[in-house]
Amino acid sequence: MKITDARIFVGGPGKNYVTLKIVTDQGIYGLGDATLNNRETLPAAYLRDYLVPNLIGMDPRRSEDIWQFFYRGAYFRGGPIAMAAIGAVDMALWDIKGKLAGLPLYDLFGGKSRDGALVYAHATGADLQALMDSVARYVAQGYKAVRVQCGIPGMPTAGYGVADKETGDGDFITDFSGIRPKVEIWDTDRYMRYMPDALMAVRERFGPELKILHDVHHRLTPREAASFAKSVEPVGLYWLEDPTPAEDQGALRLLRQHSTVPVAIGEVFNSIWQCNRLIEEELIDFIRVAVTYAGGITHAKRIVDLAGLHNVRTGFHGAPSHSPVSMAAQAHLNAWAPNFGIQEYLVLGTPACDALFPSAHRMEGGLFHVSDAPGLGIDFDEREAERYSYSPGSHPVVRLEDGTMWNY
Ligand code: GCO
Ligand code: MG
């Protein structure tokens, strides 16, 4: 069996999805997602210039060797761009493998460990009242877990994950448009004073059953994070996400010594070497990698297995940055993983997305039900893709009030 063609598409409804389609001499094809938010042209170029020319003629069944060939063979290994490109190839090869076997991927991993996978949605509000309304809408739809972010009185700009206007459904998506980033101003003291009470107010309004998550988005120092974690303890959070910038694996030791709040980190990681210490020292409770830029199913599964040895559960990244292709890959891992925790969920379900990526994956009652079609169980409509093209974007940048650059 041989790979005869590999095509890359960039674009999608409101997003620059990077979709890879690998075609074989047996008519079976596989799909992969290399979307890297606001740097989408780079994994696309890495695929086009380096990986695709090598893929032609390879046996697609040898997904492990192909992964090693591209990873070890690069000499300058890793990084989000290369790993997103390798990740897309890997997903597509697993998709082909599943189609060849006539089995959904979860069966190749070891079979289903659960029927539906718990997901969480993003609730947000410019103020606490708007946040409450947003949470109420998700609860009414059957969500059992909700991430909550809200505006802070006196904060110069809206802050991470916060609606700066009435969005109607409360499902706020950051405005990434334009190549020059928008500037947000951040004030740690205001955040630390206000947010614990706001989170407690959500707990009091919605009761003990709702799983409440909160994302600090890398904004605190290790000492601040430890102090913040202590102050939110009475809320009973499901998790506290990215309390500190993720590069420093030692930063969470202080938090761990002072608090038992569950910690989730890892959406920016692209290698097991960025989280092995966090996992082995049991400094975290949830690992947040994404199959996209963590090198595909082959590498993400290694991280999940290591995590399982240390009581660390999964909480895969699922921001709108990911196309339904990598969300499908994660859905198969979620169905199988003995140490599954929760899945962030925002992508699938819009009519435009469903038209571009048809599938039988479905959400019901706050649970994600994976399709039992062979492979990833997702398709890609190339004619529909012709409607979309690349549009440049940028993450906002963050400064303190005196102008100092801070972490977005
Ligand atoms: C999350 C993330 C995202 C990121 C985004 C950056 O928890 O969902 O923090 O919202 O900000 O993926 O591109
Ligand atoms: Mg996050």
Side-chain angles (χ1 to χ4, degrees), residues 180-193:
R180 289 199 190 260
K182 297 177 183 54
V183 181
E184 290 179 3
I185 308 295
W186 172 255
D187 181 334
T188 298
D189 291 343
R190 282 200 178 95
Y191 172 80
M192 301 255 298
R193 279 198 304 269

Side-chain angles (χ1 to χ4, degrees), residues 317-333:
H317 192 216
S321 1
H322 302 286
S323 95
V325 174
S326 50
M327 291 301 282
Q330 293 185 170
H332 286 277
L333 288 169

